[in-house]
Amino acid sequence: MRDVFMRLLKAPFLRGEPRAPEHFWALRDVSFDVQQGEVVGLIGRNGAGKTTLLKLLSRITRPTEGYIEIRGRVGSLLEVGTGFHPELTGRENIYLSGAILGMSRREIGNKHDAIVAFAGVERFLDTPLKHYSSGMQMRLAFAVAAHLEPEILLVDEVLAVGDLEFQKRCLGKMDEVTKTGRTILFVSHQMNQIRRLCRRCIWIDDGRIRCAGSMLEVVSAYEASFSTPPSSAEYHRREGTRSTRFLSWRIAEPYTEESNVLDSFGSVTFEFVLGVNVDIRGGVNGIALFNSDHQLIWATSVSRLELSKGLHALRFKLPSLPLRPGVYHWQVSIWEGGHCFDQWTCVPDMIVGTKPVTHPHEEWQGLLNLPWEFRMERQNRSERGQEPSLVNPQVD
């Protein structure tokens, strides 16, 4: 009403024709199918339209155009903490939030102890929520939402709540949910969480689907879009003469459908095809591997190469290459007596798509994705030998 009155009051003083209202499409021409039991990841930059899409699917917002067909009960974890009241106790907020999320009182009562144990707030259950820390509130809110049992679950960036221990608990709960055969649409900015939980992925950009398909393909394309080396001109420049050139590269062993995708652990052989137009005596082949931030991962060189005219396949075999999943690129060069014939930043990029086995928290995942084993054994004192005695120095 206020805006209507303001427009009426301003109308006599406006000159010229009124401007047509500007329309912003949060989503446009978005169409996809999700089958029962699928776990589909939604990725994209902030403001791309991911949350809007989940609000449409959960019927919070109506679509301006088009339609949505949903078969099954829908539960949504869009905003953790929805329905919490600061003056109510933690116990009362469990019932309030559960009711808002669509759970019956009996269902909440049956799951009450599990929710409290999952959140880890037993001591403060009868304390008003306003005395909780922000992290404790988020933990309690996620614990309630995580115990929903719908056929279709919509999750919007809620696994980043709480401390490190609670994050592990959240990921474990999501792993359980994915194994129950429920259909899940999962939004996250942490690509390793997408890799752990999803088989399919949809990349939304500026309100449209930019790429949809297998998780490895879509996540790799999304990460590659952020690959901006320090100097674009330097990155694309190809140094050397045209007499000898690298023509292609591939992962020779193990065999993969995509020759630039490494999706297994163990030994791996890389092949670089070199076209030689002049005989080379005492040549040097340099090779280097960089990540998407143009950080050097590994490099070496081979000297005293004798290369005649024609095509040559230069192969490097590594016992393993346990890199963190992501986008990488090779750089190869060929020299003779200080003269550079060719220096090539290989295309396409190499995509590492092995299963993540690192720390669940992204900031602690490092550069390597090393498979590991853990074993704990109980030892008796006799096995450990005599324990050293402690000496307390006397201070005058």
Side-chain angles (χ1 to χ4, degrees), residues 29 44 50 78 217 246 269 287 296 330 339 342 344 360 364:
D29 299 328
K50 305 183 299 297
L78 302 187
E217 173 190 355
F246 286 96
T269 301
I287 181 173
L296 179 62
W330 290 99
H339 171 71
D342 190 21
W344 181 43
W364 288 98

Side-chain angles (χ1 to χ4, degrees), residues 251 253-256 261-268 320-322 351-355:
I251 299 175
E253 295 176 357
Y255 171 79
T256 56
V261 176
L262 178 62
D263 56 5
S264 62
F265 297 102
S267 65
V268 56
S320 64
L321 190 60
I351 299 171
V352 176
T354 50
K355 181 181 178 181

Side-chain angles (χ1 to χ4, degrees), residues 281-316:
R281 298 291 180 262
V284 178
N285 174 212
I287 181 173
L289 179 63
F290 298 87
N291 63 11
S292 57
D293 296 324
H294 205 65
Q295 180 182 5
L296 179 62
I297 303 299
W298 174 79
T300 191
S301 64
V302 181
S303 304
R304 301 177 183 177
L305 297 177
E306 303 292 327
L307 301 172
S308 58
K309 294 180 182 180
L311 295 179
H312 297 265
L314 309 181
R315 291 192 167 199
F316 290 85

Side-chain angles (χ1 to χ4, degrees), residues 91 94 108-119 122 125 147:
R91 189 188 308 275
I94 289 175
I108 299 171
N110 293 336
K111 298 178 180 179
H112 179 273
D113 293 342
I115 292 171
V116 173
F118 189 87
E122 295 92 339
L125 198 57
H147 285 79

Side-chain angles (χ1 to χ4, degrees), residues 34 94 117 126 173 177 197 200 245 266 296 354:
V34 179
I94 289 175
D126 296 311
K173 186 65 178 179
V177 172
L197 301 175
R200 280 182 58 208
R245 285 222 152 184
L296 179 62
T354 50

